[in-house]
Amino acid sequence: MFPKAFVDTVRAGAQWLRPGVVAAGQAPATVRKPRPRAAAGLVPIRSVGPRERHRILSHLLALSQRDRYLRFGYAASDEQVQRYVDGLDFQRDEIFGIYNRRLEIIAMAHLAFAPTGQDGSCAEFGVSVSEHARGRGYGARLFERAVVVARNEGVSMLFIHALSENTAMLRIARNAGATVVRSGSESEAHLELPAPSLDSRVSGIALGQFGEVDFQLKARAHQFWTFLAGLQEVRSGVRDARQRSAP
């Protein structure tokens, strides 16, 4: 489906176009350098569609009660998580995911745009990362991707509502240059975004292609190993049957 030359081109282009998160009017000299661990390599991020609600649900249900509390602002029950997933508006909002080799979502971001008729210059960002996948900079990479998409959609202000104890989320916002205001147990961060540019639009296309190519390659590999596992089971069953029928 994807020739090797195309895959190599997308990977190289996406690496060159990896977005930097800079607040509007911020001078390049003041941009904070990302931590080496978070900056190592380019993370393939794919736009998640409505047919993958089951993957989103599995990811969120696997979060501990503590993690659900930090993600949603309350200790969401399984039923409340289900209602959240059922209510996702894929036509209006953007959902991004990072997948493992089993095509499971291990990190996910929700970029929520304003409903029709409301101020379209603002959007809100939320993220969750599976416990075993933390410490790899996935939250920051998802935030960078959300910034590119928000810019290209004409958003000038990106908001993050988080509990004040959600230090990981607030750190991502601060490192991106966002202003964080604390009000008791809750905090709000807002990041001013520059207007869309040719670079941001090309970057958005390249990063989207990179994430899709990565997913398709993983899907092919997953199908192949699943086929081999099934074939191995058949061979094992035939061998056992022969042994039982042997005199």
Side-chain angles (χ1 to χ4, degrees):
M1 182 177 180
F2 295 103
K4 183 178 183 301
F6 173 73
V7 174
D8 293 341
T9 300
V10 171
R11 289 182 182 273
Q15 178 66 38
W16 178 69
L17 290 167
R18 198 184 82 182
V21 181
V22 183
Q26 187 176 23
T30 64
V31 177
R32 299 183 183 182
K33 295 182 179 180
R35 297 180 180 182
R37 179 174 61 180
L42 183 69
V43 178
I45 298 172
R46 179 174 179 264
S47 181
V48 183
R51 294 184 178 180
E52 297 179 81
R53 289 184 193 269
H54 65 288
R55 289 193 173 104
I56 296 174
L57 181 62
S58 296
H59 165 71
L60 294 175
L61 289 179
L63 297 177
S64 67
Q65 285 298 314
R66 171 67 176 172
D67 293 334
R68 294 188 195 183
Y69 171 69
L70 294 177
R71 170 61 182 87
F72 296 104
Y74 60 95
S77 65
D78 290 355
E79 292 75 17
Q80 289 170 322
V81 172
Q82 179 73 66
R83 285 198 295 270
Y84 165 79
V85 175
D86 291 341
L88 289 173
D89 188 338
F90 291 90
Q91 292 186 338
R92 183 192 67 195
D93 300 343
E94 286 285 349
I95 313 295
F96 304 106
I98 297 175
Y99 297 77
N100 62 14
R101 295 181 183 275
R102 294 186 296 274
L103 304 182
E104 299 166 337
I105 294 177
I106 58 175
M108 188 192 87
H110 182 181
L111 179 62
F113 294 95
T116 303
Q118 297 186 17
D119 185 4
S121 65
C122 299
E124 184 178 0
F125 174 82
V127 67
S128 57
V129 180
S130 299
E131 184 175 4
H132 69 274
R134 290 170 193 163
R136 308 176 191 177
Y138 288 165
R141 300 288 81 80
L142 286 165
F143 186 70
E144 289 181 354
R145 177 65 182 279
V147 166
V148 172
V149 172
R151 282 185 62 187
N152 291 339
E153 291 295 326
V155 171
S156 59
M157 187 73 71
L158 186 60
F159 287 92
I160 298 173
H161 296 280
L163 295 172
S164 297
E165 56 193 291
N166 193 347
T167 55
M169 184 69 258
L170 296 177
R171 186 185 306 114
I172 291 174
R174 286 193 179 95
N175 288 343
T179 300
V180 179
V181 179
R182 178 171 180 171
S183 177
S185 63
E186 298 184 355
S187 294
E188 181 178 280
H190 65 271
L191 178 67
E192 295 183 29
L193 304 182
S197 65
L198 177 60
D199 285 345
S200 72
R201 296 190 185 282
V202 173
S203 179
I205 294 172
L207 292 170
Q209 290 288 344
F210 176 60
E212 185 60 35
V213 167
D214 176 81
F215 180 84
Q216 294 298 335
L217 292 176
K218 287 177 178 176
R220 285 188 176 187
H222 182 69
Q223 292 174 355
F224 175 72
W225 290 114
T226 300
F227 168 76
L228 286 185
L231 185 61
Q232 185 63 32
E233 289 182 3
V234 171
R235 289 176 176 175
S236 178
V238 171
R239 183 169 56 251
D240 292 343
R242 287 177 178 175
Q243 291 175 352
R244 287 193 299 267
S245 61

